[in-house]
Amino acid sequence: MKPRILPSLLLVFAGLAFGETKIAISGSIEWERMEINATVTMDLASAGIRLPTGRNQAEEILHGEYPHLVRPYLLSIPVDSADTLGDLLDRGAFSLKRTDSISSSAQKIPPALTFDLAFMSARYALSLNNLSGELMRHSQPTESMRLLIPVPAIPYTGILIIADEALPVHGKHSTAFTRPCLFPKVWDTDMNLIYEQSMVDPQQVQSIVRYVSANKIFRPTPSGLEDELIRLVGSNPLRIIARGVFGIHRTDPIIDRQDALQIISLEDNRKLLREGRIAIVLNQQVLTIPFSTP
């Protein structure tokens, strides 16, 4: 299910649904933008298409093949620390029809021809936030952990978890980069569950977390944060350095118990969980995953 990762976006043409027609897809999964950006390109001569009369036919072929071509990369998306979208499909928890419906909801950029009129390409931008919204099942947020005796805490405007370095993998004698997924969980160092997707209010939140690279938190602003990030976590977020990572797909940051207590001891901070005001800083190399037709 995992897309083939290449050092650059290559375009490799292979015979697909139209006999000898050469049509291929290339693009990337971009977690900072929460998008799958893809380009579908067809060799017009291989499809027997002549311009200008065949332009409409070529566009129909591109748009018709796009859902099938992007499907394996969409199914490779990690939903949480254990499952990809493909795993949900295999278990019957998600349907192929819904998968293709999500693919078809992509923003389409009108097809364009190469200068030599030999190839036609169409570009698509598919929102991963729309996929997150499709997968949320609850209607009301569940209560986050509370303490019988809260510790002294101050209110924050958001939560910023810094996990851009290789971290110890819980239960393993190894380290790994924390990787993005649609619904990460946050654990403390005692392995108490601090945050998961059921804790957010689905009426307010479509994506439960925002992923950013380290350069977004070292800007020349009073808070050091990029303006767009400030709109999510505010100018005074609780900054937490992750202590480890957990999960089959290495997607769940582990935070220090004392940092977790700052969150769960105060209602204002627990509210941040319900509103999904959480950003996770990840290494740049895991934030963009290129793919292309094998």
Side-chain angles (χ1 to χ4, degrees), residues 143-159:
E143 288 289 335
S144 56
M145 178 183 290
R146 297 194 180 205
L147 299 173
L148 291 176
I149 305 176
V151 302
I154 63 172
Y156 291 94
T157 58
I159 298 168

Side-chain angles (χ1 to χ4, degrees), residues 88-260:
L88 299 188
L89 185 69
D90 292 341
R91 293 205 304 268
F94 202 75
S95 71
L96 197 58
K97 181 178 179 181
R98 290 176 69 193
T99 302
D100 288 345
S101 175
I102 290 169
S103 299
S104 298
S105 71
Q107 179 184 356
K108 302 175 181 65
I109 297 173
L113 294 163
T114 55
F115 287 117
D116 61 4
L117 304 182
F119 300 97
M120 177 179 282
S121 297
R123 295 167 57 196
Y124 303 85
L126 175 60
S127 170
L128 293 179
N129 288 333
N130 289 345
L131 178 57
S132 296
E134 283 279 329
L135 291 169
M136 280 196 189
R137 304 284 190 228
H138 63 289
S139 57
Q140 296 293 327
T142 59
E143 288 289 335
S144 56
M145 178 183 290
R146 297 194 180 205
L147 299 173
L148 291 176
I149 305 176
V151 302
I154 63 172
Y156 291 94
T157 58
I159 298 168
L160 186 63
I161 300 174
I162 302 171
D164 61 327
E165 302 289 339
L167 295 168
V169 179
H170 180 75
K172 306 286 184 181
H173 296 292
S174 62
T175 62
F177 285 118
T178 305
R179 295 186 172 274
C181 70
L182 296 178
F183 300 137
K185 298 179 177 68
V186 178
W187 308 81
D188 70 13
T189 43
D190 292 339
M191 295 312 292
N192 296 302
L193 182 60
I194 303 302
Y195 182 60
E196 65 169 342
Q197 62 101 357
S198 68
M199 296 177 186
V200 304
D201 184 346
Q203 306 303 317
Q204 300 183 56
V205 177
Q206 192 175 34
S207 178
I208 75 166
V209 70
R210 178 171 173 199
Y211 295 108
V212 297
S213 54
N215 63 2
K216 299 296 192 301
I217 64 172
F218 296 110
R219 292 297 174 92
T221 63
S223 66
L225 305 181
E226 179 189 59
D227 288 343
E228 186 178 351
L229 183 56
I230 290 174
R231 286 194 283 273
L232 175 67
V233 300
S235 58
N236 184 37
L238 173 60
R239 298 170 188 253
I240 300 171
I241 298 176
R243 301 301 181 187
V245 62
F246 181 61
I248 294 172
H249 296 301
R250 312 294 193 248
T251 57
D252 298 352
I254 300 171
I255 65 175
D256 190 270
R257 177 62 177 168
Q258 294 305 311
D259 289 322

